[in-house]
Each structure stands twice: as C-alpha cells, then as structure tokens.
PDB file of all heavy atoms in Angstrom:
ATOM      1  N   LYS A  21      76.458 156.006 290.216  1.00  0.00           N
ATOM      2  CA  LYS A  21      77.645 156.568 290.865  1.00  0.00           C
ATOM      3  C   LYS A  21      77.274 157.855 291.592  1.00  0.00           C
ATOM      4  O   LYS A  21      76.326 158.543 291.220  1.00  0.00           O
ATOM      5  CB  LYS A  21      78.735 156.893 289.841  1.00  0.00           C
ATOM      6  CG  LYS A  21      79.035 155.794 288.851  1.00  0.00           C
ATOM      7  CD  LYS A  21      79.593 154.567 289.489  1.00  0.00           C
ATOM      8  CE  LYS A  21      79.883 153.513 288.430  1.00  0.00           C
ATOM      9  NZ  LYS A  21      80.216 152.242 288.964  1.00  0.00           N
ATOM     10  N   LEU A  22      78.055 158.168 292.614  1.00  0.00           N
ATOM     11  CA  LEU A  22      77.911 159.423 293.344  1.00  0.00           C
ATOM     12  C   LEU A  22      79.266 160.104 293.325  1.00  0.00           C
ATOM     13  O   LEU A  22      80.276 159.506 293.699  1.00  0.00           O
ATOM     14  CB  LEU A  22      77.477 159.175 294.788  1.00  0.00           C
ATOM     15  CG  LEU A  22      77.408 160.421 295.664  1.00  0.00           C
ATOM     16  CD1 LEU A  22      76.229 161.302 295.257  1.00  0.00           C
ATOM     17  CD2 LEU A  22      77.295 160.043 297.125  1.00  0.00           C
ATOM     18  N   GLN A  23      79.289 161.344 292.866  1.00  0.00           N
ATOM     19  CA  GLN A  23      80.521 162.118 292.837  1.00  0.00           C
ATOM     20  C   GLN A  23      80.428 163.200 293.904  1.00  0.00           C
ATOM     21  O   GLN A  23      79.463 163.965 293.935  1.00  0.00           O
ATOM     22  CB  GLN A  23      80.707 162.752 291.459  1.00  0.00           C
ATOM     23  CG  GLN A  23      81.994 163.516 291.308  1.00  0.00           C
ATOM     24  CD  GLN A  23      82.111 164.118 289.930  1.00  0.00           C
ATOM     25  OE1 GLN A  23      81.373 165.042 289.605  1.00  0.00           O
ATOM     26  NE2 GLN A  23      83.029 163.593 289.134  1.00  0.00           N
ATOM     27  N   VAL A  24      81.428 163.243 294.788  1.00  0.00           N
ATOM     28  CA  VAL A  24      81.487 164.252 295.843  1.00  0.00           C
ATOM     29  C   VAL A  24      82.699 165.134 295.560  1.00  0.00           C
ATOM     30  O   VAL A  24      83.831 164.660 295.547  1.00  0.00           O
ATOM     31  CB  VAL A  24      81.618 163.602 297.242  1.00  0.00           C
ATOM     32  CG1 VAL A  24      81.626 164.677 298.323  1.00  0.00           C
ATOM     33  CG2 VAL A  24      80.494 162.610 297.487  1.00  0.00           C
ATOM     34  N   ARG A  25      82.436 166.407 295.321  1.00  0.00           N
ATOM     35  CA  ARG A  25      83.506 167.349 294.985  1.00  0.00           C
ATOM     36  C   ARG A  25      84.038 168.029 296.258  1.00  0.00           C
ATOM     37  O   ARG A  25      83.341 168.092 297.259  1.00  0.00           O
ATOM     38  CB  ARG A  25      82.994 168.416 294.020  1.00  0.00           C
ATOM     39  CG  ARG A  25      82.582 167.831 292.687  1.00  0.00           C
ATOM     40  CD  ARG A  25      82.310 168.965 291.688  1.00  0.00           C
ATOM     41  NE  ARG A  25      82.167 168.449 290.355  1.00  0.00           N
ATOM     42  CZ  ARG A  25      83.185 168.161 289.546  1.00  0.00           C
ATOM     43  NH1 ARG A  25      84.412 168.344 289.947  1.00  0.00           N
ATOM     44  NH2 ARG A  25      82.976 167.699 288.342  1.00  0.00           N
ATOM     45  N   PRO A  26      85.250 168.581 296.186  1.00  0.00           N
ATOM     46  CA  PRO A  26      85.808 169.297 297.338  1.00  0.00           C
ATOM     47  C   PRO A  26      84.949 170.491 297.772  1.00  0.00           C
ATOM     48  O   PRO A  26      84.976 170.888 298.937  1.00  0.00           O
ATOM     49  CB  PRO A  26      87.177 169.770 296.847  1.00  0.00           C
ATOM     50  CG  PRO A  26      87.531 168.835 295.748  1.00  0.00           C
ATOM     51  CD  PRO A  26      86.225 168.440 295.112  1.00  0.00           C
ATOM     52  N   SER A  27      84.167 171.027 296.861  1.00  0.00           N
ATOM     53  CA  SER A  27      83.277 172.153 297.188  1.00  0.00           C
ATOM     54  C   SER A  27      82.081 171.707 298.027  1.00  0.00           C
ATOM     55  O   SER A  27      81.347 172.524 298.558  1.00  0.00           O
ATOM     56  CB  SER A  27      82.769 172.808 295.901  1.00  0.00           C
ATOM     57  OG  SER A  27      81.962 171.892 295.174  1.00  0.00           O
ATOM     58  N   GLY A  28      81.860 170.385 298.118  1.00  0.00           N
ATOM     59  CA  GLY A  28      80.720 169.849 298.859  1.00  0.00           C
ATOM     60  C   GLY A  28      79.567 169.444 297.961  1.00  0.00           C
ATOM     61  O   GLY A  28      78.594 168.849 298.420  1.00  0.00           O
ATOM     62  N   LYS A  29      79.655 169.767 296.671  1.00  0.00           N
ATOM     63  CA  LYS A  29      78.598 169.412 295.722  1.00  0.00           C
ATOM     64  C   LYS A  29      78.592 167.902 295.504  1.00  0.00           C
ATOM     65  O   LYS A  29      79.640 167.295 295.263  1.00  0.00           O
ATOM     66  CB  LYS A  29      78.836 170.136 294.398  1.00  0.00           C
ATOM     67  CG  LYS A  29      77.768 169.927 293.368  1.00  0.00           C
ATOM     68  CD  LYS A  29      78.084 170.744 292.128  1.00  0.00           C
ATOM     69  CE  LYS A  29      77.035 170.527 291.070  1.00  0.00           C
ATOM     70  NZ  LYS A  29      77.333 171.292 289.860  1.00  0.00           N
ATOM     71  N   LYS A  30      77.397 167.299 295.586  1.00  0.00           N
ATOM     72  CA  LYS A  30      77.232 165.854 295.406  1.00  0.00           C
ATOM     73  C   LYS A  30      76.282 165.618 294.241  1.00  0.00           C
ATOM     74  O   LYS A  30      75.182 166.164 294.225  1.00  0.00           O
ATOM     75  CB  LYS A  30      76.672 165.217 296.679  1.00  0.00           C
ATOM     76  CG  LYS A  30      77.563 165.394 297.894  1.00  0.00           C
ATOM     77  CD  LYS A  30      76.905 164.871 299.159  1.00  0.00           C
ATOM     78  CE  LYS A  30      77.725 165.201 300.383  1.00  0.00           C
ATOM     79  NZ  LYS A  30      77.051 164.803 301.621  1.00  0.00           N
ATOM     80  N   SER A  31      76.723 164.789 293.283  1.00  0.00           N
ATOM     81  CA  SER A  31      75.935 164.548 292.076  1.00  0.00           C
ATOM     82  C   SER A  31      75.831 163.057 291.803  1.00  0.00           C
ATOM     83  O   SER A  31      76.793 162.314 291.985  1.00  0.00           O
ATOM     84  CB  SER A  31      76.587 165.211 290.868  1.00  0.00           C
ATOM     85  OG  SER A  31      76.790 166.581 291.076  1.00  0.00           O
ATOM     86  N   TYR A  32      74.641 162.652 291.324  1.00  0.00           N
ATOM     87  CA  TYR A  32      74.420 161.273 290.890  1.00  0.00           C
ATOM     88  C   TYR A  32      74.741 161.170 289.403  1.00  0.00           C
ATOM     89  O   TYR A  32      74.383 162.052 288.622  1.00  0.00           O
ATOM     90  CB  TYR A  32      72.962 160.860 291.082  1.00  0.00           C
ATOM     91  CG  TYR A  32      72.498 160.819 292.506  1.00  0.00           C
ATOM     92  CD1 TYR A  32      71.602 161.766 292.984  1.00  0.00           C
ATOM     93  CD2 TYR A  32      72.926 159.820 293.376  1.00  0.00           C
ATOM     94  CE1 TYR A  32      71.148 161.730 294.290  1.00  0.00           C
ATOM     95  CE2 TYR A  32      72.478 159.777 294.683  1.00  0.00           C
ATOM     96  CZ  TYR A  32      71.592 160.738 295.140  1.00  0.00           C
ATOM     97  OH  TYR A  32      71.151 160.691 296.424  1.00  0.00           O
ATOM     98  N   PHE A  33      75.388 160.060 289.020  1.00  0.00           N
ATOM     99  CA  PHE A  33      75.714 159.797 287.634  1.00  0.00           C
ATOM    100  C   PHE A  33      75.362 158.366 287.282  1.00  0.00           C
ATOM    101  O   PHE A  33      75.396 157.477 288.127  1.00  0.00           O
ATOM    102  CB  PHE A  33      77.211 159.993 287.365  1.00  0.00           C
ATOM    103  CG  PHE A  33      77.629 161.426 287.276  1.00  0.00           C
ATOM    104  CD1 PHE A  33      77.999 162.127 288.406  1.00  0.00           C
ATOM    105  CD2 PHE A  33      77.638 162.083 286.058  1.00  0.00           C
ATOM    106  CE1 PHE A  33      78.382 163.448 288.331  1.00  0.00           C
ATOM    107  CE2 PHE A  33      78.021 163.411 285.977  1.00  0.00           C
ATOM    108  CZ  PHE A  33      78.392 164.091 287.115  1.00  0.00           C
ATOM    109  N   PHE A  34      75.055 158.158 286.018  1.00  0.00           N
ATOM    110  CA  PHE A  34      74.930 156.819 285.446  1.00  0.00           C
ATOM    111  C   PHE A  34      76.228 156.579 284.697  1.00  0.00           C
ATOM    112  O   PHE A  34      76.723 157.462 283.984  1.00  0.00           O
ATOM    113  CB  PHE A  34      73.745 156.772 284.471  1.00  0.00           C
ATOM    114  CG  PHE A  34      73.747 155.543 283.611  1.00  0.00           C
ATOM    115  CD1 PHE A  34      73.213 154.361 284.082  1.00  0.00           C
ATOM    116  CD2 PHE A  34      74.308 155.563 282.343  1.00  0.00           C
ATOM    117  CE1 PHE A  34      73.231 153.219 283.306  1.00  0.00           C
ATOM    118  CE2 PHE A  34      74.321 154.430 281.558  1.00  0.00           C
ATOM    119  CZ  PHE A  34      73.775 153.255 282.043  1.00  0.00           C
ATOM    120  N   ARG A  35      76.794 155.380 284.848  1.00  0.00           N
ATOM    121  CA  ARG A  35      78.010 155.064 284.104  1.00  0.00           C
ATOM    122  C   ARG A  35      77.987 153.604 283.684  1.00  0.00           C
ATOM    123  O   ARG A  35      77.733 152.723 284.501  1.00  0.00           O
ATOM    124  CB  ARG A  35      79.238 155.344 284.946  1.00  0.00           C
ATOM    125  CG  ARG A  35      80.501 155.235 284.140  1.00  0.00           C
ATOM    126  CD  ARG A  35      81.648 155.873 284.846  1.00  0.00           C
ATOM    127  NE  ARG A  35      82.816 155.824 283.986  1.00  0.00           N
ATOM    128  CZ  ARG A  35      84.018 156.126 284.386  1.00  0.00           C
ATOM    129  NH1 ARG A  35      84.216 156.526 285.610  1.00  0.00           N
ATOM    130  NH2 ARG A  35      85.022 156.051 283.556  1.00  0.00           N
ATOM    131  N   ALA A  36      78.235 153.371 282.407  1.00  0.00           N
ATOM    132  CA  ALA A  36      78.264 152.008 281.858  1.00  0.00           C
ATOM    133  C   ALA A  36      79.071 152.029 280.568  1.00  0.00           C
ATOM    134  O   ALA A  36      79.486 153.088 280.100  1.00  0.00           O
ATOM    135  CB  ALA A  36      76.846 151.516 281.594  1.00  0.00           C
ATOM    136  N   LYS A  37      79.281 150.854 280.002  1.00  0.00           N
ATOM    137  CA  LYS A  37      79.966 150.738 278.713  1.00  0.00           C
ATOM    138  C   LYS A  37      78.973 150.259 277.669  1.00  0.00           C
ATOM    139  O   LYS A  37      78.144 149.409 277.945  1.00  0.00           O
ATOM    140  CB  LYS A  37      81.121 149.764 278.810  1.00  0.00           C
ATOM    141  CG  LYS A  37      82.278 150.307 279.605  1.00  0.00           C
ATOM    142  CD  LYS A  37      83.568 149.758 279.069  1.00  0.00           C
ATOM    143  CE  LYS A  37      84.706 150.324 279.885  1.00  0.00           C
ATOM    144  NZ  LYS A  37      85.505 151.232 279.140  1.00  0.00           N
ATOM    145  N   CYS A  38      79.068 150.819 276.474  1.00  0.00           N
ATOM    146  CA  CYS A  38      78.221 150.418 275.357  1.00  0.00           C
ATOM    147  C   CYS A  38      79.105 150.353 274.116  1.00  0.00           C
ATOM    148  O   CYS A  38      79.679 151.370 273.723  1.00  0.00           O
ATOM    149  CB  CYS A  38      77.090 151.429 275.164  1.00  0.00           C
ATOM    150  SG  CYS A  38      75.994 151.030 273.801  1.00  0.00           S
ATOM    151  N   ASN A  39      79.218 149.158 273.546  1.00  0.00           N
ATOM    152  CA  ASN A  39      80.055 148.950 272.353  1.00  0.00           C
ATOM    153  C   ASN A  39      81.481 149.460 272.572  1.00  0.00           C
ATOM    154  O   ASN A  39      82.064 150.096 271.708  1.00  0.00           O
ATOM    155  CB  ASN A  39      79.435 149.634 271.130  1.00  0.00           C
ATOM    156  CG  ASN A  39      78.076 149.067 270.802  1.00  0.00           C
ATOM    157  OD1 ASN A  39      77.833 147.880 270.997  1.00  0.00           O
ATOM    158  ND2 ASN A  39      77.186 149.912 270.316  1.00  0.00           N
ATOM    159  N   GLY A  40      82.016 149.225 273.777  1.00  0.00           N
ATOM    160  CA  GLY A  40      83.376 149.638 274.088  1.00  0.00           C
ATOM    161  C   GLY A  40      83.533 151.098 274.470  1.00  0.00           C
ATOM    162  O   GLY A  40      84.616 151.538 274.813  1.00  0.00           O
ATOM    163  N   LYS A  41      82.453 151.858 274.387  1.00  0.00           N
ATOM    164  CA  LYS A  41      82.502 153.272 274.742  1.00  0.00           C
ATOM    165  C   LYS A  41      82.016 153.468 276.163  1.00  0.00           C
ATOM    166  O   LYS A  41      81.034 152.870 276.589  1.00  0.00           O
ATOM    167  CB  LYS A  41      81.636 154.095 273.790  1.00  0.00           C
ATOM    168  CG  LYS A  41      82.188 154.175 272.378  1.00  0.00           C
ATOM    169  CD  LYS A  41      81.223 154.776 271.392  1.00  0.00           C
ATOM    170  CE  LYS A  41      80.786 156.164 271.743  1.00  0.00           C
ATOM    171  NZ  LYS A  41      79.921 156.763 270.712  1.00  0.00           N
ATOM    172  N   ASP A  42      82.707 154.326 276.902  1.00  0.00           N
ATOM    173  CA  ASP A  42      82.311 154.649 278.265  1.00  0.00           C
ATOM    174  C   ASP A  42      81.179 155.672 278.206  1.00  0.00           C
ATOM    175  O   ASP A  42      81.327 156.732 277.603  1.00  0.00           O
ATOM    176  CB  ASP A  42      83.509 155.218 279.028  1.00  0.00           C
ATOM    177  CG  ASP A  42      83.256 155.314 280.517  1.00  0.00           C
ATOM    178  OD1 ASP A  42      82.537 154.460 281.057  1.00  0.00           O
ATOM    179  OD2 ASP A  42      83.788 156.249 281.144  1.00  0.00           O
ATOM    180  N   ILE A  43      80.038 155.340 278.796  1.00  0.00           N
ATOM    181  CA  ILE A  43      78.876 156.228 278.809  1.00  0.00           C
ATOM    182  C   ILE A  43      78.728 156.796 280.217  1.00  0.00           C
ATOM    183  O   ILE A  43      78.623 156.051 281.181  1.00  0.00           O
ATOM    184  CB  ILE A  43      77.575 155.473 278.439  1.00  0.00           C
ATOM    185  CG1 ILE A  43      77.717 154.751 277.106  1.00  0.00           C
ATOM    186  CG2 ILE A  43      76.381 156.409 278.459  1.00  0.00           C
ATOM    187  CD1 ILE A  43      77.878 155.638 275.915  1.00  0.00           C
ATOM    188  N   LYS A  44      78.749 158.105 280.321  1.00  0.00           N
ATOM    189  CA  LYS A  44      78.558 158.772 281.609  1.00  0.00           C
ATOM    190  C   LYS A  44      77.473 159.824 281.419  1.00  0.00           C
ATOM    191  O   LYS A  44      77.556 160.642 280.504  1.00  0.00           O
ATOM    192  CB  LYS A  44      79.854 159.424 282.084  1.00  0.00           C
ATOM    193  CG  LYS A  44      79.748 160.055 283.454  1.00  0.00           C
ATOM    194  CD  LYS A  44      81.087 160.627 283.897  1.00  0.00           C
ATOM    195  CE  LYS A  44      80.962 161.288 285.248  1.00  0.00           C
ATOM    196  NZ  LYS A  44      82.211 161.952 285.643  1.00  0.00           N
ATOM    197  N   ARG A  45      76.476 159.763 282.278  1.00  0.00           N
ATOM    198  CA  ARG A  45      75.332 160.665 282.136  1.00  0.00           C
ATOM    199  C   ARG A  45      74.916 161.163 283.512  1.00  0.00           C
ATOM    200  O   ARG A  45      74.706 160.373 284.425  1.00  0.00           O
ATOM    201  CB  ARG A  45      74.203 159.892 281.483  1.00  0.00           C
ATOM    202  CG  ARG A  45      73.037 160.710 281.107  1.00  0.00           C
ATOM    203  CD  ARG A  45      72.105 159.862 280.277  1.00  0.00           C
ATOM    204  NE  ARG A  45      70.892 160.576 280.028  1.00  0.00           N
ATOM    205  CZ  ARG A  45      69.812 160.055 279.515  1.00  0.00           C
ATOM    206  NH1 ARG A  45      69.805 158.779 279.190  1.00  0.00           N
ATOM    207  NH2 ARG A  45      68.749 160.758 279.316  1.00  0.00           N
ATOM    208  N   LYS A  46      74.801 162.457 283.659  1.00  0.00           N
ATOM    209  CA  LYS A  46      74.401 163.028 284.939  1.00  0.00           C
ATOM    210  C   LYS A  46      72.920 162.770 285.171  1.00  0.00           C
ATOM    211  O   LYS A  46      72.092 162.991 284.291  1.00  0.00           O
ATOM    212  CB  LYS A  46      74.684 164.525 284.964  1.00  0.00           C
ATOM    213  CG  LYS A  46      74.430 165.154 286.308  1.00  0.00           C
ATOM    214  CD  LYS A  46      74.873 166.597 286.322  1.00  0.00           C
ATOM    215  CE  LYS A  46      74.664 167.203 287.680  1.00  0.00           C
ATOM    216  NZ  LYS A  46      75.128 168.591 287.709  1.00  0.00           N
ATOM    217  N   ILE A  47      72.594 162.295 286.376  1.00  0.00           N
ATOM    218  CA  ILE A  47      71.207 162.022 286.737  1.00  0.00           C
ATOM    219  C   ILE A  47      70.611 163.198 287.497  1.00  0.00           C
ATOM    220  O   ILE A  47      69.484 163.596 287.248  1.00  0.00           O
ATOM    221  CB  ILE A  47      71.106 160.728 287.567  1.00  0.00           C
ATOM    222  CG1 ILE A  47      71.527 159.544 286.715  1.00  0.00           C
ATOM    223  CG2 ILE A  47      69.694 160.538 288.110  1.00  0.00           C
ATOM    224  CD1 ILE A  47      71.613 158.239 287.467  1.00  0.00           C
ATOM    225  N   GLY A  48      71.361 163.757 288.432  1.00  0.00           N
ATOM    226  CA  GLY A  48      70.856 164.881 289.203  1.00  0.00           C
ATOM    227  C   GLY A  48      71.719 165.172 290.413  1.00  0.00           C
ATOM    228  O   GLY A  48      72.679 164.462 290.697  1.00  0.00           O
ATOM    229  N   GLU A  49      71.353 166.222 291.113  1.00  0.00           N
ATOM    230  CA  GLU A  49      72.090 166.641 292.296  1.00  0.00           C
ATOM    231  C   GLU A  49      71.436 166.079 293.555  1.00  0.00           C
ATOM    232  O   GLU A  49      70.210 165.963 293.632  1.00  0.00           O
ATOM    233  CB  GLU A  49      72.094 168.174 292.399  1.00  0.00           C
ATOM    234  CG  GLU A  49      72.678 168.887 291.192  1.00  0.00           C
ATOM    235  CD  GLU A  49      74.159 168.627 290.997  1.00  0.00           C
ATOM    236  OE1 GLU A  49      74.865 168.405 292.000  1.00  0.00           O
ATOM    237  OE2 GLU A  49      74.603 168.641 289.845  1.00  0.00           O
ATOM    238  N   VAL A  50      72.272 165.765 294.539  1.00  0.00           N
ATOM    239  CA  VAL A  50      71.754 165.368 295.847  1.00  0.00           C
ATOM    240  C   VAL A  50      71.008 166.581 296.406  1.00  0.00           C
ATOM    241  O   VAL A  50      71.485 167.700 296.334  1.00  0.00           O
ATOM    242  CB  VAL A  50      72.914 164.953 296.789  1.00  0.00           C
ATOM    243  CG1 VAL A  50      72.408 164.739 298.204  1.00  0.00           C
ATOM    244  CG2 VAL A  50      73.586 163.707 296.262  1.00  0.00           C
ATOM    245  N   GLY A  51      69.830 166.356 296.911  1.00  0.00           N
ATOM    246  CA  GLY A  51      68.983 167.448 297.385  1.00  0.00           C
ATOM    247  C   GLY A  51      67.864 167.756 296.408  1.00  0.00           C
ATOM    248  O   GLY A  51      66.794 168.194 296.804  1.00  0.00           O
ATOM    249  N   GLN A  52      68.122 167.534 295.122  1.00  0.00           N
ATOM    250  CA  GLN A  52      67.082 167.721 294.112  1.00  0.00           C
ATOM    251  C   GLN A  52      66.309 166.430 293.889  1.00  0.00           C
ATOM    252  O   GLN A  52      65.118 166.468 293.597  1.00  0.00           O
ATOM    253  CB  GLN A  52      67.677 168.195 292.792  1.00  0.00           C
ATOM    254  CG  GLN A  52      68.211 169.594 292.832  1.00  0.00           C
ATOM    255  CD  GLN A  52      68.782 170.012 291.486  1.00  0.00           C
ATOM    256  OE1 GLN A  52      69.067 169.182 290.630  1.00  0.00           O
ATOM    257  NE2 GLN A  52      68.963 171.310 291.316  1.00  0.00           N
ATOM    258  N   ILE A  53      67.000 165.299 293.959  1.00  0.00           N
ATOM    259  CA  ILE A  53      66.335 164.004 293.832  1.00  0.00           C
ATOM    260  C   ILE A  53      66.804 163.100 294.974  1.00  0.00           C
ATOM    261  O   ILE A  53      67.892 163.264 295.497  1.00  0.00           O
ATOM    262  CB  ILE A  53      66.594 163.326 292.468  1.00  0.00           C
ATOM    263  CG1 ILE A  53      68.081 163.062 292.232  1.00  0.00           C
ATOM    264  CG2 ILE A  53      66.007 164.125 291.339  1.00  0.00           C
ATOM    265  CD1 ILE A  53      68.341 162.263 290.975  1.00  0.00           C
ATOM    266  N   THR A  54      65.953 162.172 295.348  1.00  0.00           N
ATOM    267  CA  THR A  54      66.259 161.260 296.443  1.00  0.00           C
ATOM    268  C   THR A  54      67.068 160.070 295.932  1.00  0.00           C
ATOM    269  O   THR A  54      67.169 159.845 294.722  1.00  0.00           O
ATOM    270  CB  THR A  54      64.967 160.730 297.088  1.00  0.00           C
ATOM    271  OG1 THR A  54      64.247 159.967 296.111  1.00  0.00           O
ATOM    272  CG2 THR A  54      64.095 161.864 297.617  1.00  0.00           C
ATOM    273  N   VAL A  55      67.601 159.298 296.862  1.00  0.00           N
ATOM    274  CA  VAL A  55      68.359 158.092 296.493  1.00  0.00           C
ATOM    275  C   VAL A  55      67.476 157.113 295.716  1.00  0.00           C
ATOM    276  O   VAL A  55      67.882 156.625 294.659  1.00  0.00           O
ATOM    277  CB  VAL A  55      68.977 157.429 297.742  1.00  0.00           C
ATOM    278  CG1 VAL A  55      69.605 156.086 297.387  1.00  0.00           C
ATOM    279  CG2 VAL A  55      70.009 158.344 298.374  1.00  0.00           C
ATOM    280  N   PRO A  56      66.239 156.805 296.194  1.00  0.00           N
ATOM    281  CA  PRO A  56      65.403 155.873 295.417  1.00  0.00           C
ATOM    282  C   PRO A  56      65.107 156.379 293.996  1.00  0.00           C
ATOM    283  O   PRO A  56      65.101 155.598 293.049  1.00  0.00           O
ATOM    284  CB  PRO A  56      64.119 155.757 296.232  1.00  0.00           C
ATOM    285  CG  PRO A  56      64.514 156.102 297.630  1.00  0.00           C
ATOM    286  CD  PRO A  56      65.603 157.126 297.481  1.00  0.00           C
ATOM    287  N   MET A  57      64.895 157.668 293.855  1.00  0.00           N
ATOM    288  CA  MET A  57      64.628 158.228 292.526  1.00  0.00           C
ATOM    289  C   MET A  57      65.869 158.106 291.643  1.00  0.00           C
ATOM    290  O   MET A  57      65.771 157.761 290.457  1.00  0.00           O
ATOM    291  CB  MET A  57      64.201 159.691 292.628  1.00  0.00           C
ATOM    292  CG  MET A  57      63.850 160.301 291.295  1.00  0.00           C
ATOM    293  SD  MET A  57      62.439 159.549 290.504  1.00  0.00           S
ATOM    294  CE  MET A  57      61.146 160.527 291.190  1.00  0.00           C
ATOM    295  N   ALA A  58      67.046 158.345 292.197  1.00  0.00           N
ATOM    296  CA  ALA A  58      68.291 158.199 291.433  1.00  0.00           C
ATOM    297  C   ALA A  58      68.468 156.752 290.973  1.00  0.00           C
ATOM    298  O   ALA A  58      68.895 156.499 289.842  1.00  0.00           O
ATOM    299  CB  ALA A  58      69.486 158.649 292.268  1.00  0.00           C
ATOM    300  N   LYS A  59      68.121 155.801 291.839  1.00  0.00           N
ATOM    301  CA  LYS A  59      68.227 154.380 291.474  1.00  0.00           C
ATOM    302  C   LYS A  59      67.273 154.041 290.334  1.00  0.00           C
ATOM    303  O   LYS A  59      67.641 153.333 289.389  1.00  0.00           O
ATOM    304  CB  LYS A  59      67.947 153.497 292.684  1.00  0.00           C
ATOM    305  CG  LYS A  59      69.046 153.552 293.723  1.00  0.00           C
ATOM    306  CD  LYS A  59      68.716 152.705 294.935  1.00  0.00           C
ATOM    307  CE  LYS A  59      69.822 152.788 295.975  1.00  0.00           C
ATOM    308  NZ  LYS A  59      69.552 151.964 297.163  1.00  0.00           N
TER     309      LYS A  59
END
C-alpha cells in the first residue's frame, strides 16, 4: 500500500490479514526506498 498524506508525505505499507487480525507494517518512505525495493 501507499499512503499519501495532505502534508505531501508518502509512505509504503504492508497490509494483510493473519488469523482474522489486520496486520499493517510500515515499509518505508518514498524517497528513502524505491518502488522495486518496496515490492
């Protein structure tokens, strides 16, 4: 996932479900890591 905030900050996230629980984990900021690295 990519989250774009009103401030202009863009962040990559991992999001999935595990045993019915929503798992969300920050991967990194746009500019710090590339799209292929985020994938």
Side-chain angles (χ1 to χ4, degrees):
K21 312 296 181 189
L22 175 71
Q23 183 180 69
V24 182
R25 296 190 169 278
S27 64
K29 184 177 179 181
K30 299 174 187 175
S31 304
Y32 295 109
F33 284 88
F34 167 84
R35 189 164 184 190
K37 288 212 180 249
C38 180
N39 298 326
K41 291 170 59 176
D42 192 33
I43 305 294
K44 184 177 178 185
R45 188 171 173 191
K46 186 174 182 178
I47 295 174
E49 303 294 330
V50 172
Q52 291 180 343
I53 60 174
T54 63
V55 173
M57 183 64 89
K59 290 178 181 181

